[in-house]
Amino acid sequence: MKNPEAQQDVSVSQGIRMMFYVMKPSETSFQTLEEVPDYVRKATPLFISLMLLELVISWIRKGKPLGGLDDALASLSAGIMSQLPRLFYRSIELTSYVYIWENYRLISLPWDSPWTWYLTFLGVDFGYYWFHRMAHEVNIMWAGHQTHHSSEGYNLSTALRQSVLQIYTSWIFYSPLALFIPPSVYAVHLQFNLLYQFWIHTEVIDNLGPLELILNTPSHHRVHHGRNRYCIDKNFAGTLIIWDRIFGTFEAENEKVVYGLTHPINTFEPFKVQFHHLVNIWTTFWATPGLFNKFSVIFKGPGWSPGKPRLGLIEEIPEVEGKEVPFSSSASQLLKMYVVAQFALMLAFYEETFADKAVLSQVTLLLRVCFIILTLTSIGFLLDQRPKAAVLETFRCLVFLILCRSGHLKPCISSLSFAFELCVSEVWA
């Protein structure tokens, strides 16, 4: 897709409605892929607004926010890391789709037909259901998707805890649509399906009555994020819960849901959040005897081992009591305030980098991405209270000053430029 500035604007009304998948075909049909707005990028203000609204409602109801600050920062860090590759190349979910469309399509449905629009809505949602289900049932795919489930909280920030690896398998499940659905229509629904799933990551909405029969709702998705035995491998829906009802994976919310992985990772460090299960697969692969068994480690369920069913044994899932205490940072309040301030500065650089990527050199883009990753890693170290956290943060600050001096970064507030220059000069004197 084009630079967002070259696409049509999204009105406030459209911005709100796109979060709930209630846009009309007439306002979201485009002839070419280049015309399709980057709806996900344009939704950033709504993400922030809804998270703040959830915080206020939670505070009014319970006298405290849903989840911890440390967990929210880890979720946002994962979301940022998952988006960084987009600075260099288009998503594989689009490039693979365009390739199949241009070389193997059977028919071309009209891009401006409401029937094409609604068929694509169903097709993308059906593809998502099977991708999501396989991401839980195939170990190597779970290595990517587990990132999203690693939070022990459940709030709107959890929706942004996305995997770096996931898109490298999800495209497979959408590719059949490229035989007849134009890429521009597919690109719209791929984004709307993702945006719809943002607002269902909350505990402030209880039950939506008759809508629970058809739609994926916060109640249904809370079950999906649970580590209670009754929650395991249930409710894979994106927008429509009917797929779970049809294929036998539906489970209603009843007892209190305890969130997170069955074996919590107890860290906020972004690389561990993203890749720890890959390390586990590697270790298990070499420790498991027999070639067939080794491949089973990769392609069967995360709970499989020799002699067990494909998806493992539900009896081996640790029981929960409902009194589990989520992992939290032991950092001081002052250090947490510092971390929040650094995260906010990094987020400003992140947004500026995406806004200016068309005019930035590849070297500047690469250096900025490295700095963003370094910042997220340092924040994770500080929250985890790792022994080398102070050393890493000192190094990060020096890198920041060097990048400012060399022109690859600039202070977010122009009036502070002179102060930064003085600081840099002192360091280099």
Side-chain angles (χ1 to χ4, degrees):
M1 286 180 285
K2 268 186 192 175
N3 192 322
E5 285 76 16
Q7 301 160 352
Q8 74 170 37
D9 291 331
V10 175
S11 68
V12 174
S13 168
Q14 289 176 325
I16 295 171
R17 287 186 290 117
M18 73 184 183
M19 300 296 292
F20 302 95
Y21 222 138
V22 288
M23 298 283 273
K24 296 181 290 186
S26 60
E27 60 186 339
T28 56
S29 295
F30 306 92
Q31 185 171 7
T32 66
L33 187 61
E34 287 71 27
E35 295 175 77
V36 178
D38 191 342
Y39 290 110
V40 175
R41 294 287 308 162
K42 292 177 184 292
T44 299
L46 285 164
F47 291 155
I48 297 171
S49 300
L50 289 173
M51 284 191 286
L52 291 174
L53 178 62
E54 180 190 45
L55 181 66
V56 171
I57 293 174
S58 175
W59 208 290
I60 292 172
R61 283 186 177 182
K62 300 182 178 181
K64 61 178 183 179
L66 290 170
L69 172 67
D70 40 23
D71 187 75
L73 288 175
S75 294
L76 295 174
S77 296
I80 288 170
M81 285 188 71
S82 72
Q83 293 298 303
L84 291 177
R86 293 179 59 203
L87 287 167
F88 301 101
Y89 50 83
R90 180 188 279 173
S91 164
I92 191 173
E93 289 177 323
L94 288 176
T95 53
S96 59
Y97 193 95
V98 169
Y99 177 81
I100 296 170
W101 168 261
E102 290 180 345
N103 293 279
Y104 301 105
R105 70 177 179 267
L106 303 177
I107 58 173
S108 301
L109 294 182
W111 64 268
D112 55 351
S113 168
W115 292 107
T116 303
W117 197 94
Y118 288 114
L119 178 63
T120 310
F121 160 68
L122 291 173
V124 167
D125 203 49
F126 183 72
Y128 179 82
Y129 169 84
W130 283 106
F131 154 69
H132 196 184
R133 183 168 174 173
M134 291 303 102
H136 281 254
E137 296 184 0
V138 177
N139 204 17
I140 193 66
M141 293 176 66
W142 174 246
H145 187 61
Q146 60 78 31
T147 298
H148 182 62
H149 283 265
S150 61
S151 171
E152 293 181 80
Y154 189 78
N155 51 60
L156 293 178
S157 71
T158 309
L160 303 178
R161 186 180 284 228
Q162 296 295 320
S163 167
V164 172
L165 302 173
Q166 187 166 287
I167 61 169
Y168 298 104
T169 53
S170 60
W171 66 272
I172 300 168
F173 298 85
Y174 301 123
S175 58
L177 297 175
L179 299 175
F180 53 95
I181 300 291
S184 61
V185 187
Y186 164 72
V188 167
H189 288 278
L190 188 65
Q191 295 185 79
F192 287 170
N193 191 273
L194 178 64
L195 290 172
Y196 178 89
Q197 295 178 58
F198 175 75
W199 71 272
I200 62 176
H201 288 82
T202 186
E203 290 186 301
V204 301
I205 299 174
D206 296 323
N207 189 285
L208 295 178
L211 294 178
E212 303 277 340
L213 297 173
I214 302 171
L215 297 176
N216 192 15
T217 64
S219 176
H220 296 330
H221 205 58
R222 284 194 289 270
V223 171
H224 179 71
H225 272 260
R227 66 180 198 244
N228 314 55
R229 287 182 179 177
Y230 88 95
C231 298
I232 301 300
D233 294 342
K234 300 296 182 181
N235 300 359
F236 298 110
T239 303
L240 299 174
I241 200 66
I242 59 172
W243 309 123
D244 287 287
R245 296 185 185 278
I246 291 170
F247 296 110
T249 52
F250 174 74
E251 188 70 43
E253 184 179 27
N254 47 68
E255 64 186 70
K256 175 180 169 61
V257 177
V258 178
Y259 304 109
L261 300 173
T262 56
H263 298 87
I265 56 176
N266 295 337
T267 183
F268 301 114
E269 198 272 292
F271 280 94
K272 284 192 174 181
V273 170
Q274 291 283 351
F275 305 117
H276 79 94
H277 194 68
L278 273 181
V279 176
N280 180 59
I281 290 176
W282 176 263
T283 304
T284 307
F285 178 88
W286 291 110
T288 302
L291 184 62
F292 179 79
N293 285 337
K294 287 184 184 297
F295 279 99
S296 294
V297 168
I298 298 173
F299 296 109
K300 290 186 178 180
W304 179 87
S305 62
K308 295 179 184 176
R310 181 175 68 89
L311 300 181
L313 297 169
I314 193 68
E315 297 80 16
E316 294 186 351
I317 301 295
E319 289 271 21
V320 298
E321 300 176 355
K323 300 178 182 178
E324 286 75 11
V325 179
F327 177 71
S328 61
S329 174
S330 60
S332 67
Q333 292 301 313
L334 186 61
L335 181 57
K336 287 181 179 179
M337 290 172 60
Y338 172 82
V339 163
V340 170
Q342 297 305 315
F343 185 89
L345 287 171
M346 180 279 305
L347 191 59
F349 290 128
Y350 167 83
E351 289 293 334
E352 179 192 54
T353 301
F354 268 94
D356 297 342
K357 68 177 181 179
V359 297
L360 294 174
S361 69
Q362 289 294 301
V363 172
T364 297
L365 279 177
L366 182 60
L367 289 172
R368 288 192 177 198
V369 165
C370 290
F371 176 72
I372 289 169
I373 293 173
L374 178 61
T375 300
L376 297 177
T377 304
S378 183
I379 286 173
F381 271 48
L382 290 169
L383 291 175
D384 280 357
Q385 293 287 272
R386 299 274 285 274
K388 301 295 185 181
V391 175
L392 181 61
E393 177 60 12
T394 302
F395 173 72
R396 187 193 72 87
C397 291
L398 288 172
V399 170
F400 172 77
L401 294 174
I402 293 169
L403 291 177
C404 284
R405 178 62 180 262
S406 60
H408 294 294
L409 280 179
K410 59 182 179 180
C412 300
I413 304 173
S414 57
S415 60
L416 294 179
S417 295
F418 181 67
F420 275 111
E421 279 293 319
L422 287 177
C423 185
V424 172
S425 298
E426 288 298 320
V427 170
W428 284 81

